[in-house]
Amino acid sequence: MVPPPRFGNVRFATYNPDPNQPGQAAAVQRLERFAAELNRDDGGRKRWFRRELAAGPSGIYLDGGYGVGKTHLLASLWHAAPGPKSLCTFVELTNLVGALGFRQTVEALSGHRLLCIDEFELDDPGDTVLVSTLLGKLADAGVKLAATSNTLPDKLGEGRFASQDFMREIQGLSARFEALRIDGDDYRHRGLPAAPAPVSDEVVDKAAQAAPEGAALDDFPALLAHLAAVHPSRYGAMLDGVTGVFWRGVCPVDDQATALRLVVLADRMYDRELPVVASGVPFDELFTEEMLAGGYRKKYLRAVSRLVAMAREGSELGRSGA
């Protein structure tokens, strides 16, 4: 539960705010103050006055579109804060509860100074109640929280389930955070040339053969079928030792369960800075218009943004197979 390799060395000083988006620089300043407050916090006093400290917002919530650098800022906060501390994705946090049990998770995290949660999203009512209760317990124990999401905390779950039936939990979550809005263009593609076009199957095969040890070569439909047989919490471990990803026959995805599994895989690949070489349709055609019109639109667009960035990183490998 530490920053992934892509964000292992980031700091506030390495974040480049867009001068046309003053909210980005303001977010950096607010998070630097938040980190300074954590470093000034006396451990003994914190334990004596846990309830008093939990009366107001317990943390910072970074809201903004994909590609504005929210994960960079969250990891920078983690690096700047004193320990004990953890950083995980929302999915990893719910998986931790599944592995340890609720009570043991509360016990394991209650001694933390800071818990950072990336990609905070509520996709079902069970997660809403679970996370609301968990974060309430941790905040009452004096744990400070920080989270990133594409959705404001009082809008979580909207368009995905009957969120109005769980408004008490959602509003309870919202009250735990001070929300910071970060607007801007997708930094992964700002000022860069267009994404490389897909190559042929033959080029994918040759590039994989010429790549360093650890290249993963798959037919895209077979990969999607395999993902259905592996729990998403294991996708990161599945990528251990992989140095590059090579896909033949990328095709549009029109099934929601399949698409969401692919989103998780793309996130874990991006965390590990894996270059991608692929044939088939371009990544910006990966999800159908019907899929992009639904409640998971922002997730799919984030996955496309990250896959395009990885394809750009893999363009040199693609040229080696041409």
Side-chain angles (χ1 to χ4, degrees):
M1 297 179 69
V2 299
R6 184 178 291 272
F7 300 100
N9 295 312
V10 300
R11 298 294 188 274
F12 290 126
T14 63
Y15 181 80
N16 296 314
D18 185 343
N20 298 316
Q21 300 291 343
Q24 295 187 8
V28 174
Q29 294 172 2
R30 178 64 186 95
L31 288 170
E32 287 178 328
R33 292 199 305 272
F34 189 64
E37 292 163 7
L38 283 167
N39 279 287
R40 284 197 303 268
D41 213 3
D42 179 84
R45 184 181 186 282
K46 180 179 178 182
R47 292 186 179 277
W48 279 107
F49 294 94
R50 282 177 174 180
R51 296 286 177 180
E52 176 187 325
L53 290 173
S58 304
I60 301 290
Y61 190 101
L62 302 178
D63 168 62
Y66 55 89
V68 296
K70 299 186 301 298
T71 303
H72 183 135
L73 291 175
L74 188 72
S76 297
L77 172 63
W78 185 92
H79 286 297
K85 55 190 176 180
S86 288
L87 185 149
C88 60
T89 65
F90 179 82
V91 171
E92 288 168 341
L93 181 61
T94 56
N95 288 338
L96 181 66
V97 177
L100 298 183
F102 184 84
R103 181 179 297 179
Q104 289 79 3
T105 301
V106 172
E107 291 176 357
L109 299 178
S110 288
H112 279 40
R113 293 287 190 89
L114 176 68
L115 174 63
C116 296
I117 309 167
D118 199 20
E119 302 161 13
F120 198 111
E121 296 172 359
L122 297 180
D123 295 338
D124 64 68
D127 281 348
T128 303
V129 176
L130 172 68
V131 173
S132 176
T133 306
L134 175 62
L135 296 189
K137 295 283 188 184
L138 295 179
D140 287 344
V143 181
K144 293 299 184 180
L145 309 169
T148 73
S149 181
N150 301 130
T151 306
L152 284 168
D154 61 350
K155 302 294 184 182
L156 288 164
E158 211 169 69
R160 302 176 192 177
F161 62 88
S163 57
Q164 65 273 13
D165 295 338
F166 296 87
M167 194 51 65
R168 184 179 68 178
E169 284 81 5
I170 292 172
Q171 289 175 343
L173 278 172
S174 179
R176 300 285 181 189
F177 295 99
E178 172 191 344
L180 299 180
R181 175 70 188 178
I182 306 177
D183 293 309
D185 298 325
D186 186 346
Y187 80 91
R188 284 184 280 268
H189 312 296
R190 190 191 307 157
L192 294 176
V199 298
S200 67
D201 287 352
E202 182 181 9
V203 169
V204 173
D205 289 338
K206 289 182 177 179
Q209 292 171 6
E213 184 179 355
L217 174 63
D218 293 282
D219 290 313
F220 192 69
L223 171 70
L224 297 182
H226 179 67
L227 293 181
V230 181
H231 193 278
S233 65
R234 301 295 300 165
Y235 289 1
M238 189 172 66
L239 292 167
D240 286 347
V242 174
T243 58
V245 173
F246 299 82
W247 288 340
R248 290 183 295 236
V250 172
C251 56
V253 177
D254 58 7
D255 172 72
Q256 184 165 278
T258 302
L260 291 174
R261 287 191 289 266
L262 185 58
V263 167
V264 177
L265 179 68
D267 286 339
R268 301 292 79 78
M269 289 166 52
Y270 184 76
D271 289 344
R272 287 158 176 76
E273 302 182 284
L274 298 180
V276 174
V277 180
S279 65
V281 303
F283 285 130
D284 58 6
E285 298 177 16
L286 186 58
F287 303 107
T288 64
E289 287 299 321
E290 182 180 5
M291 300 288 288
L292 292 175
Y296 297 101
R297 171 182 174 82
K298 292 179 180 178
K299 275 192 173 186
Y300 299 147
L301 291 177
R302 182 184 76 226
V304 169
S305 170
R306 290 182 165 187
L307 286 167
V308 169
M310 289 184 282
R312 189 177 287 116
E313 294 168 357
S315 58
E316 185 174 340
L317 291 174
R319 285 193 292 270
S320 69

